[in-house]
Amino acid sequence: MDKKYWSGRIQNLVPYTPGEQPRDRVFIKLNTNENPYPPSPRVLEAIRQATDSRLRLYPDPEATDLRRAIGERYGLAPEQVFCGNGSDEVLGLCFYAFFTPGRKVIFPDITYSFYPVYTELFHLDYEEIPLNEDFTLPVERFLGENGGVVVCNPNAPTGRTLPLEDIRRILEANRDAVVLVDEAYADFGARSAIPLLPEFPNLVVVRTMSKSHSLAGMRLGYALGSPDLTAAIGCVKNSFNSYPIDRLALAAGEAAIQDVPYFEETRRKVMDARAWTTQALRAQGFRVHDSDANFVFAAHPALSGETLQQGLRERGILVRRFDRPRIREYLRITIGTQQEMEALAASCEDILKG
Amino acid sequence: MDKKYWSGRIQNLVPYTPGEQPRDRVFIKLNTNENPYPPSPRVLEAIRQATDSRLRLYPDPEATDLRRAIGERYGLAPEQVFCGNGSDEVLGLCFYAFFTPGRKVIFPDITYSFYPVYTELFHLDYEEIPLNEDFTLPVERFLGENGGVVVCNPNAPTGRTLPLEDIRRILEANRDAVVLVDEAYADFGARSAIPLLPEFPNLVVVRTMSKSHSLAGMRLGYALGSPDLTAAIGCVKNSFNSYPIDRLALAAGEAAIQDVPYFEETRRKVMDARAWTTQALRAQGFRVHDSDANFVFAAHPALSGETLQQGLRERGILVRRFDRPRIREYLRITIGTQQEMEALAASCEDILKG
């Protein structure tokens, strides 16, 4: 690669690596935390209704209807909602909107691996705070002077949840900096920080429709916060791309957030399959942390993570592994249907038998 | 607005203002350069075919099929194609990927008003080179030392085209910097710089499907350049948002680029209506520049731009005006259907009669 024409800013940038999206072979895909159930039938119908000549027109750059629908769902005003192209884009915009070079942003050493990429991209100073041995968060390390805090809750890839009381302590100790709580997986069992919004003008909650609303393919994420904070995100967004959400995604998102019964039914099924999977893997000798997300984080004392991942792949099952200190022996296994999880357990048993 | 929690970087940022997207009243919309014709029937069919349970899965982050289809259309390899969420996002990524603070980026004073916003967002140094009195480009001013060149061709909002020979001169004089040619409107009559790609490793051509493919509502743009340059754009994109194009947009884009007969038919109709409109407005005393885009830039010696714009609005027609030095008396009028342009001409006549 000849980088002669690359900006000095990106000469050493190492991008985020998304999980594999196989194009040729059919796998049981437990590697990217997608929902095993299809989007709500109301979502598909809303897309069909919007698929017509109006696609020649720009979408609403302010996502007015979607913001209102999301606000209604959580009892917030539309001005407290910002919508973007997936929570990755929303997080990226937040990192630029709220953090300033020279003031250190802090987040755990084991967490969503996109956070350090944003900081490198935008040349922000940051510190990765080591999680405790059991992957819980050393809360006291997040109470000192800093330029911003990012907490994924429940955390990825561990699935562990930080109690709301600890989020509150972090918010109280950081009144001069923004605390970003990434709740990509919160719908699967964690207590949301949304009820803390009225108390804390420094809180931003980021969420996605990719997981609990089965819409990874449509790219919808949002941030919740005070109007002063959502305006900052909007200021960056409108200086970069006025219309990141297309007309069909806007229609899909509105229908998805409104179909609460379908949401409840599918997330319940995922949570039930997670309980089953946790038990089944523990019975095989796996160390499996309690998870509040749509994945479990599991390691086996008898086999390396690499061997397990490769063995599953040979048996037609994809799981994700991060080749990084402290967690390279772990598999992050997305919760699929009950049937898929039974196939996973059977394959694990098969591999363990040698 | 309390900016206490805003990054120091964006305290003074003034975002781009997109054209009005009316939500309540029906206007003849000649203000945002949308295509008056619907997307190809093949596009709508491709979207319908993709609207199913697969929306639960992430899209292909590399847009492999779409890049191949675009490459085939222009005789380029997929590695020479980068796809993004509209050409605005692609341009934003390019500004970050290719330009470095301290090295001055140059573009005309009258051009797409998003360019200075990107430079402000990313704290790049830049200089706006004044266009000549007749809105042609003073080519010699673009041949000196600089950190990058951005040329919109045909230019917005003037519609004037820079001859390919002049693009070549700029490329030859800037072998150490990237020359970004924004061809958002080139399909309506300008000669593209794409044939220059094999000769110039410093050339990036940016295009959109919003205008000539009637897909403003689906957010599709792309950049063409050497694999070293598209990799730089990809490096920034993958450090910000892995999946900016959703599954339905990918399907739509592929169908759109492949339906060449529909593309030829609709752009011909737009070009014919442009010729008619230019004549009709000139016959009413308007100064109208020859345009190679899907809009004309017109001013009338007897009435201010503001009066004209307001008069048209009262008659149910939206056009765009930029309240900036040198061009505030001009209207940028998008070319709609022949019927819409006849309504425009009739309304102008009505306003001029007083």
Side-chain angles (χ1 to χ4, degrees), chain A residues 20-48:
Chain A
E20 183 182 355
Q21 297 293 334
R23 291 171 41 82
D24 303 323
R25 193 180 145 192
V26 177
F27 286 95
I28 293 180
K29 240 185 127 282
L30 306 178
N31 68 328
T32 50
N33 294 344
E34 288 142 337
N35 197 308
Y37 302 103
S40 152
R42 284 179 57 180
V43 168
L44 300 181
E45 183 54 29
I47 292 172
R48 284 187 205 104

Side-chain angles (χ1 to χ4, degrees), chain A residues 1-2 4-10 13-16 18-19 21 23 29 32-39 44 47-48 51-61 64-65 68 85 88-89 92-93 96-101 114 117-118 121-124 175-178 201-202 210-211 214-219 227-229 231-232 234-249 340, chain B residues 1-2 4-10 13-16 18-19 21 23 29 32-39 44 47-48 51-61 64-65 68 85 88-89 92-93 96-101 114 117-118 121-124 175-178 201-202 210-211 214-219 227-229 231-232 234-249 340:
Chain A
M1 188 67 62
D2 181 353
K4 171 179 173 185
Y5 293 112
W6 292 35
S7 169
R9 281 172 163 163
I10 65 163
L13 185 60
V14 180
Y16 175 75
Q21 297 293 334
R23 291 171 41 82
K29 240 185 127 282
T32 50
N33 294 344
E34 288 142 337
N35 197 308
Y37 302 103
L44 300 181
I47 292 172
R48 284 187 205 104
T51 303
D52 60 22
S53 64
R54 288 169 296 176
L55 297 185
R56 72 179 182 83
L57 300 171
Y58 283 97
D60 173 11
T64 313
D65 294 334
R68 183 158 40 213
N85 184 283
D88 283 348
E89 185 190 70
L93 296 171
Y96 203 84
F98 300 125
F99 304 145
T100 302
F114 219 131
V117 178
Y118 296 126
L121 173 67
F122 297 139
H123 293 264
L124 295 164
R175 294 196 180 265
D176 289 332
V178 165
N202 55 330
S210 295
K211 325 290 184 184
S214 305
L215 278 175
M218 288 309 286
R219 319 308 309 122
D228 288 334
L229 298 191
C235 179
V236 178
K237 171 256 194 190
N238 288 322
S239 303
F240 177 68
N241 182 9
S242 310
Y243 313 92
I245 315 178
D246 65 51
R247 284 180 166 260
L248 301 184
E340 287 173 329
Chain B
M1 188 67 61
D2 181 352
K4 170 180 173 184
Y5 293 112
W6 293 36
S7 169
R9 280 172 163 163
I10 65 163
L13 186 59
V14 180
Y16 174 76
Q21 298 292 336
R23 291 170 41 83
K29 240 185 126 283
T32 50
N33 294 343
E34 289 142 336
N35 197 308
Y37 301 103
L44 299 181
I47 293 172
R48 283 187 206 105
T51 303
D52 60 23
S53 64
R54 289 170 295 177
L55 296 186
R56 73 180 181 84
L57 300 170
Y58 283 97
D60 174 11
T64 313
D65 294 334
R68 183 158 42 215
N85 184 282
D88 283 349
E89 185 190 71
L93 295 171
Y96 204 84
F98 300 125
F99 305 144
T100 301
F114 219 132
V117 178
Y118 296 127
L121 172 67
F122 297 140
H123 294 265
L124 294 164
R175 293 195 180 266
D176 290 331
V178 165
N202 55 331
S210 296
K211 324 291 184 184
S214 306
L215 279 174
M218 288 309 288
R219 319 308 308 124
D228 288 333
L229 297 191
C235 179
V236 178
K237 171 256 192 190
N238 288 321
S239 302
F240 176 68
N241 182 9
S242 309
Y243 314 91
I245 314 179
D246 66 51
R247 284 181 166 260
L248 301 184
E340 288 172 328

Side-chain angles (χ1 to χ4, degrees), chain B residues 303 307-308 310-312 315 346-354:
Chain B
L303 280 180
T307 304
L308 279 164
Q310 187 51 33
L312 286 169
R315 288 161 181 80
S347 290
C348 286
E349 206 171 343
D350 193 39
I351 296 164
L352 289 166
K353 275 195 305 209

Side-chain angles (χ1 to χ4, degrees), chain B residues 318-331:
Chain B
L318 295 183
V319 300
R320 186 119 198 229
R321 195 173 66 86
F322 299 90
D323 195 9
R324 292 204 313 246
R326 301 184 66 189
I327 58 170
R328 58 171 52 96
E329 303 307 337
Y330 278 84
L331 305 181

Side-chain angles (χ1 to χ4, degrees), chain A residues 1-2 5-6 10, chain B residues 62 67 76-83 90 93-94 97-98 178 197 201 203-206 222-238:
Chain A
M1 188 67 62
D2 181 353
Y5 293 112
W6 292 35
I10 65 163
Chain B
E62 298 303 325
R67 282 167 48 231
L76 302 171
E79 295 69 34
Q80 293 174 279
V81 183
F82 172 87
C83 293
V90 175
L93 295 171
C94 285
F98 300 125
V178 165
L197 282 171
L203 170 61
V204 176
V205 176
V206 175
Y222 52 98
L224 309 172
S226 81
D228 288 333
L229 297 191
T230 59
I233 314 171
C235 179
V236 178
K237 171 256 192 190
N238 288 321

